[in-house]
Amino acid sequence: MNVWKRPALLEWVSALLLFLLLREWLFPMQELTDTGILWPFFIISAGVLIIDVLVPFRWMTFPIKLLGLLWLLHATLFDTPLFETEWLAELYGNIVRDFPLVMHQNWADMSLVSRNAMFDLALLILISMLTYLVLEQRQGLWFVFLTELYLCVLDTFLPYDASAGIVRAFIYGFLLLMVSHFTKMTSMASLSGKRARILGNSLLASMLVIGVSVGIGYAAPKKDASWPDPVAFLTGSDNNAPVGVMKKVGYDNNDERLGGPFLQDNTLVFIATTNERSYWRGDSKDVYTGVGWEKEKAQYESILDPQKHEWKDTLFHGFETKKVNASLEFKGPQQFATVFYPGQLQKVSNYAPPNATVVYDMMNQQLEVRAGKTTLIQIEGEHEKSVTRPNGTLLKLNQYNLEAEVPIVSEKAVTQAGTDYPQDIRERYLQLPATLPPRVKELAQTVTKDAKTPYEKVRAIENYLRSSGKYKYETKDVPVPQEGQDFVDHFLFDSMRGYCDHFSTSMAVMLRTLDIPTRWVKGFAPGERVGTDSQNNEIMEIRNKDAHSWVEVYFPGHGWIPFEATSTFMSPVRFHYDLQTSQPQIPIPLPDLGNTATPDRGDGRLDNLEEGDQVSGKRFSIPWQVNAGVVALLAVAGVVAYRRKKDIQVWWLRRQIHNERSTQYKDRFNLLMRMVESVYARRQAGETLREYVNRLTIPGDKRQDLRYLTEMYERAIYGFKEMEQKARTVAEQVIERLIRQLKP
């Protein structure tokens, strides 16, 4: 552009489509980095495009863009008045001081001001170059191809779902190419005759081609991927350990060989309506082979009429309990001959098909459903005796109702339970393979060196696996042990990454090396809440991805109590902290703070607002000459503030929490929960804190932190105990981490 002329409509359309493509480049930043807000980057992108379309002289556009960038930096990073020079001096000083760090790529040591300023400037220059090449030179094909490649790489190699972005970028890109082509045609030659009709028909034909292509690609049947995940294939080895075959997550009865990567499967298994969230227990196993779990010879009980049968104290006794009623309806394509139940089963009823009988494994508390019953003739001496037993054919139930109870575990009771284990428990649940490396036991002894009772040792190992920061929850990049290498030893000392099977098996084996009876349990996590029924019971969807394993520990006089070793899960079992002692309280599992630096939001904008409590002593009187400009800016600010009211509310709550540093933990926790409600969802009437935290759809690390803080809050409120200094320090650090991570 060398003359100042009014931009044509097609030029504005091209600029809009280029802006939409740029948005696809920016969207992943919010999910893959700590970037909290994207609107400043959108303003830079839109502003550069508008200026380049309106102003034909490039030498004139740069000062305008630079002034706009300075205004944006001031609006997002500084609290001093715009016409003061202090913030400009601070900006200049930070950039000069941190520029050498750029040469060494030492981004972490740069200040937030210089890091944001340099990134915004680089973005401004990059978009200016794109407008020149794409809008003026009409060279857009390479950028469309690069955008698609960028999104495909993110979708393949990083935890980002770019499937929708790939389709959007395809549509935007080809529309941009189409408009760019017609703009070039009309500039090179005029269309004689019915100009508008010819141009309209050409545009319509191009849009039909794009629409049909996208429609066929979206609606056509698609074959499942035949290759394993490339990340696990390329990086899944560790110390020459082979990578396992990629399989889908789900409940499986065969646990003889654990480990290896798996794909998340969102297939629905069943819908449960229940008055209490709990793990859905399916089975337990007691023999650890070094590579997986098996069952010792089981003791079975035949139950011909399950509706009339009642189970009592099959898992635990001597605790306060809560009654649980649940209704399970299997909706998905996958069904099981195993009955899944919460806590301790008491009764099964209203099942379909109605001809079901049950074989009950009394040692592992597993219910296996059979298709009806059969009569056998047994010969005892000279007499014949008819015996009716469940049929040998497995039957998968479509639905059933459950009555069960979950424990409210007394911390005092399990601490004082002692080590007087029955002989049959010792013989069955302390088994370990002779090939188990000694360093597994040595590690268990080191972790529990300060623990005196079995319960303290259980908590110490649980806390070590969950919160030491040494072990990473991973499902895809999961190596398997070499032939002959112990599964637990490989996880604890070599790979240090895995999922629930790795964490639960390691905890069970480590406790057995300390002569504490344990067993490995499998089933499903509570699932995702999707609503409530007329009686305010929760409706939960349980999918294949919710398949889970955990640990049960035996306490003399009380039975089996579940514990959770996996860092991204939180056991729904309730504990009553009634231990009265002059010694410090047994610590509950703490979130990982050892290897995690204080989170630094990538854009740094809201972080700077949090620290902007100091008010400058100077007051600037705005000259009357700029009153009109100030009024216009205030109007724009009002519109922006209305649209970003949730951001402002969260920022204000952050300031309140920082101002409440000297008050009690309960006050800061209440302010934090107000912030959580502002960002995610409101707490319903009558909903407890624990139920509210479990209902939220948030990442696992944030859920773990919230559950920990909630448990500390309940312990302080209902336990009538002051928090220890160590626990208070950890809680304060967790609060600081959460308020930095919470973003609308």
Side-chain angles (χ1 to χ4, degrees):
M1 297 179 184
N2 51 13
V3 294
W4 200 307
K5 61 179 182 179
R6 187 176 182 180
L9 176 61
L10 289 179
E11 294 179 359
W12 285 114
V13 174
S14 297
L16 174 62
L17 293 170
L18 179 57
F19 172 74
L20 294 175
L21 281 176
L22 290 170
R23 285 173 72 242
E24 299 300 332
W25 284 78
L26 296 172
F27 278 144
M29 292 176 57
Q30 201 162 27
E31 186 167 336
L32 299 178
T33 70
D34 288 331
T35 302
I37 52 178
L38 296 178
W39 62 268
F41 306 135
F42 293 154
I43 289 178
I44 294 174
S45 304
V48 170
L49 289 169
I50 292 173
I51 293 172
D52 283 343
V53 171
L54 286 175
V55 182
F57 305 106
R58 290 213 161 258
W59 61 268
M60 187 183 298
T61 62
F62 185 75
I64 299 175
K65 296 172 186 175
L66 187 59
L67 288 174
L69 180 60
L70 289 174
W71 170 83
L72 184 63
L73 289 172
H74 174 270
T76 55
L77 294 175
F78 296 94
D79 288 336
T80 56
L82 177 63
F83 297 100
E84 289 278 356
T85 59
E86 293 180 1
W87 70 273
L88 285 172
E90 181 181 351
L91 175 62
Y92 176 77
N94 277 281
I95 293 176
V96 171
R97 183 180 64 252
D98 292 340
F99 189 77
L101 299 175
V102 178
M103 302 294 101
H104 297 86
Q105 300 182 9
N106 191 0
W107 317 112
D109 291 339
M110 294 176 61
S111 67
L112 297 177
V113 173
S114 58
R115 189 165 56 197
N116 282 276
M118 291 182 186
F119 180 83
D120 290 349
L121 181 61
L123 183 63
L124 184 148
I125 296 173
L126 178 63
I127 298 175
S128 298
M129 296 171 60
L130 284 175
T131 58
Y132 173 74
L133 293 172
V134 177
L135 298 185
E136 291 189 29
Q137 300 298 316
R138 309 298 173 188
Q139 299 177 11
L141 179 59
W142 67 272
F143 183 65
V144 175
F145 172 78
L146 197 62
T147 303
E148 292 287 356
L149 180 63
Y150 164 75
L151 293 174
C152 289
V153 169
L154 292 185
D155 187 77
T156 303
F157 294 97
L158 293 176
Y160 177 73
D161 184 6
S163 54
I166 292 172
V167 176
R168 291 195 301 266
F170 177 85
I171 297 174
Y172 302 152
F174 276 85
L175 285 174
L176 176 63
L177 296 177
M178 177 191 72
V179 175
S180 178
H181 175 68
F182 280 106
T183 303
K184 193 171 184 179
M185 285 179 58
T186 55
S187 64
M188 294 176 62
S190 60
L191 297 175
S192 59
K194 300 179 180 179
R195 176 187 178 96
R197 181 178 178 183
I198 295 173
L199 186 61
N201 290 340
S202 301
L203 291 173
L204 179 61
S206 301
M207 295 184 68
L208 284 175
V209 170
I210 297 173
V212 170
S213 301
V214 174
I216 292 176
Y218 180 79
K222 303 168 184 65
K223 186 177 180 180
D224 291 337
S226 57
W227 288 4
D229 184 81
V231 176
F233 179 77
L234 294 174
T235 64
S237 59
D238 181 79
N239 294 334
N240 298 320
V243 179
V245 177
M246 187 70 72
K247 53 189 177 181
K248 286 187 176 182
V249 64
Y251 186 89
D252 187 4
N253 287 323
N254 187 353
D255 305 297
E256 295 179 358
R257 181 169 289 275
L258 301 176
F262 66 74
L263 294 171
Q264 291 288 358
D265 184 8
N266 206 40
T267 303
L268 180 65
V269 179
F270 62 90
I271 297 177
T273 304
T274 178
N275 64 324
E276 178 79 4
R277 292 192 189 187
S278 182
Y279 282 169
W280 303 97
R281 192 183 191 280
D283 196 4
S284 67
K285 296 189 176 181
D286 50 14
V287 178
Y288 175 65
T289 63
V291 294
W293 289 92
E294 298 177 359
K295 279 188 179 183
E296 195 176 348
K297 187 176 181 180
Q299 298 180 13
Y300 293 107
E301 177 185 3
S302 298
I303 302 174
L304 300 178
D305 190 356
Q307 296 204 82
K308 295 182 179 179
H309 190 86
E310 292 186 4
W311 290 266
K312 293 183 179 180
D313 299 337
T314 55
L315 284 175
F316 53 82
H317 54 274
F319 296 126
E320 180 185 353
T321 61
K322 179 177 180 179
K323 296 293 182 181
V324 180
N325 295 310
S327 175
L328 279 65
E329 186 175 2
F330 287 77
K331 292 286 190 178
Q334 190 174 10
Q335 298 180 1
F336 302 92
T338 299
V339 174
F340 299 97
Y341 56 91
Q344 178 170 263
L345 182 65
Q346 292 183 313
K347 193 172 183 180
V348 181
S349 61
N350 296 330
Y351 47 80
N355 63 323
T357 57
V358 170
V359 173
Y360 177 59
D361 182 350
M362 294 184 291
M363 299 301 298
N364 299 288
Q365 289 76 46
Q366 180 206 17
L367 278 74
E368 189 175 83
V369 185
R370 302 293 178 86
K373 52 190 176 182
T374 184
T375 301
L376 303 176
I377 303 298
Q378 290 184 348
I379 299 177
E380 298 180 357
E382 299 180 355
H383 302 282
E384 293 183 355
K385 180 181 179 182
S386 62
V387 179
T388 302
R389 295 178 178 176
N391 200 322
T393 305
L394 297 177
L395 178 66
K396 300 176 181 179
L397 295 180
N398 300 322
Q399 65 180 46
Y400 48 87
N401 293 345
L402 299 170
E403 295 179 17
E405 58 184 4
V406 293
I408 302 175
V409 181
S410 166
E411 188 182 45
K412 177 180 179 181
V414 293
T415 302
Q416 298 175 353
T419 59
D420 188 15
Y421 303 111
Q423 185 61 29
D424 59 333
I425 295 294
R426 287 181 174 274
E427 293 176 355
R428 190 179 184 104
Y429 298 106
L430 293 179
Q431 170 273 335
L432 289 171
T435 56
L436 183 71
R439 61 179 180 174
V440 175
K441 181 175 182 178
E442 294 170 0
L443 176 62
Q445 291 173 336
T446 301
V447 172
T448 60
K449 62 181 180 180
D450 296 327
K452 299 179 180 179
T453 66
Y455 175 67
E456 292 177 352
K457 295 178 181 179
V458 171
R459 283 298 200 183
I461 291 180
E462 180 187 51
N463 184 41
Y464 173 75
L465 292 172
R466 291 178 59 87
S467 307
S468 67
K470 294 184 178 181
Y471 303 103
K472 176 185 177 184
Y473 183 86
E474 177 64 53
T475 59
K476 294 183 179 180
D477 181 16
V478 183
V480 296
Q482 295 182 353
E483 188 66 28
Q485 186 176 13
D486 185 85
F487 175 76
V488 169
D489 180 82
H490 177 258
F491 170 70
L492 291 176
F493 300 101
D494 295 339
S495 72
M496 297 185 181
R497 61 184 185 270
Y499 39 91
C500 57
D501 290 348
H502 297 76
F503 287 87
S504 56
T505 300
S506 297
M507 181 176 179
V509 170
M510 291 175 72
L511 287 173
R512 286 188 176 190
T513 64
L514 303 176
D515 295 328
I516 299 176
T518 60
R519 62 184 179 186
W520 187 73
V521 190
K522 57 186 296 186
F524 288 93
E528 180 180 359
R529 180 182 182 272
V530 295
T532 56
D533 64 3
S534 58
Q535 299 179 348
N536 207 31
N537 294 316
E538 290 188 306
I539 301 175
M540 312 291 296
E541 284 186 350
I542 291 83
R543 302 179 180 273
N544 265 337
K545 66 179 182 180
D546 295 313
H548 188 49
S549 61
W550 58 96
V551 180
E552 285 181 350
V553 181
Y554 186 86
F555 291 93
H558 298 287
W560 296 99
I561 304 301
F563 289 88
E564 180 56 78
T566 309
S567 58
T568 56
F569 290 80
M570 182 66 73
S571 173
V573 176
R574 301 182 181 183
F575 271 79
H576 179 42
Y577 299 101
D578 55 352
L579 185 61
Q580 300 292 336
T581 174
S582 59
Q583 300 297 324
Q585 295 185 41
I586 299 170
I588 60 179
L590 305 178
D592 175 21
L593 296 173
N595 289 356
T596 305
T598 300
D600 180 15
R601 184 165 295 183
D603 59 2
R605 290 173 167 81
L606 290 183
D607 288 346
N608 194 269
L609 289 177
E610 296 167 9
E611 300 167 1
D613 294 336
Q614 295 183 354
V615 181
S616 175
K618 291 187 177 182
R619 288 292 179 265
F620 183 79
S621 178
I622 300 176
W624 65 268
Q625 292 91 342
V626 295
N627 279 342
V630 171
V631 171
L633 289 175
L634 289 175
V636 173
V639 174
V640 173
Y642 177 78
R643 294 184 176 181
R644 309 300 300 183
K645 56 185 178 181
K646 182 173 287 188
D647 292 331
I648 296 174
Q649 184 180 15
V650 171
W651 168 73
W652 177 253
L653 288 172
R654 279 197 179 99
R655 289 177 61 94
Q656 291 294 102
I657 292 178
H658 280 282
N659 291 335
E660 294 289 341
R661 288 184 184 276
S662 61
T663 60
Q664 295 183 356
Y665 166 77
K666 294 179 286 187
D667 298 327
R668 298 198 73 199
F669 176 81
N670 289 326
L671 285 171
L672 175 66
M673 295 309 296
R674 285 178 57 190
M675 182 183 295
V676 172
E677 290 186 58
S678 299
V679 173
Y680 294 109
R682 293 292 180 184
R683 183 176 165 192
Q684 298 177 356
E687 191 176 29
T688 65
L689 285 172
R690 186 185 294 262
E691 292 170 342
Y692 171 68
V693 171
N694 289 335
R695 175 170 63 86
L696 291 177
T697 304
I698 55 177
D701 56 340
K702 292 187 179 66
R703 187 185 303 278
Q704 180 184 345
D705 287 347
L706 279 176
R707 284 173 168 168
Y708 169 71
L709 294 175
T710 302
E711 190 171 356
M712 293 296 298
Y713 178 81
E714 293 174 344
R715 191 167 181 171
I717 293 295
Y718 305 113
F720 303 101
K721 298 180 180 179
E722 292 295 329
M723 293 175 61
E724 302 172 13
Q725 183 59 40
K726 180 180 178 181
R728 183 185 300 276
T729 301
V730 172
E732 292 296 331
Q733 294 181 43
V734 174
I735 289 177
E736 290 294 328
R737 180 164 70 185
L738 274 177
I739 64 177
R740 290 180 180 273
Q741 292 177 342
L742 289 176
K743 50 192 176 185

